[in-house]
Amino acid sequence: MSAAFILLLPITGICTNTKVGWILIQSYFCFLITNLVFPFTQTEVTDACLSSLHSIAFFLILLFIILMNKKSISNLVYGIKKSELIPKNTIASVIGISITILLAILKREGI
C-alpha cells in the first residue's frame, strides 16, 4: 500500500499543473534522494560499482530538481514565481524526507 501511495505523488503532480502539483513532484524527487542516501548512513559502503551507480542516480535526480526550478518550468507551467521557490522547495523537501522516515519506521516495525 505504501508503494502505491508514493507512486501517486508524482502522477498527481504531473496531472495537475498547479503549485500543489509542483510540490508533489519535487517532494517525490526529494524522497528519491533521501531514499538513496539513507542506506549509506546506516552501513559502510565498500562496493565501488554500487556507490558509483548511486552517485550517478543521485546526480540525475538532482538534475531533475534543478530543471524543475528553472523559470521556464516553475513559472510558465506551474505559476510559481521566483520569490516563491525557496518556501515551496522547503515544503517539498520536508514532505519527501518525512515519507522516507515514515517508510523506514514502518519497515523497521515490520508493517
Side-chain angles (χ1 to χ4, degrees):
M1 179 166 140
S2 60
F5 171 72
I6 292 169
L7 288 175
L8 281 176
L9 287 175
I11 292 171
T12 305
I14 291 170
C15 293
T16 59
N17 287 343
T18 62
K19 294 176 183 180
V20 174
W22 186 88
I23 290 173
L24 290 175
I25 294 171
Q26 286 291 89
S27 66
Y28 184 71
F29 289 140
C30 291
F31 161 74
L32 290 177
I33 284 182
T34 55
N35 216 16
L36 276 173
V37 173
F38 188 70
F40 282 113
T41 63
Q42 303 297 319
T43 60
E44 184 177 327
V45 179
T46 57
D47 188 11
C49 184
L50 182 64
S51 62
S52 63
L53 183 64
H54 274 77
S55 298
I56 291 169
F58 177 82
F59 286 114
L60 281 174
I61 296 168
L62 194 61
L63 177 68
F64 284 124
I65 290 174
I66 291 169
L67 288 174
M68 288 289 291
N69 281 293
K70 293 292 238 179
K71 184 178 180 180
S72 59
I73 294 175
S74 64
N75 192 13
L76 300 177
V77 177
Y78 293 98
I80 299 173
K81 298 175 185 169
K82 188 175 182 178
S83 62
E84 298 175 346
L85 280 176
I86 292 177
K88 302 288 188 237
N89 274 316
T90 304
I91 293 169
S93 297
V94 167
I95 292 171
I97 293 169
S98 298
I99 292 171
T100 301
I101 292 171
L102 179 66
L103 287 178
I105 291 170
L106 292 175
K107 185 177 178 182
R108 186 177 203 182
E109 293 180 3
I111 296 175

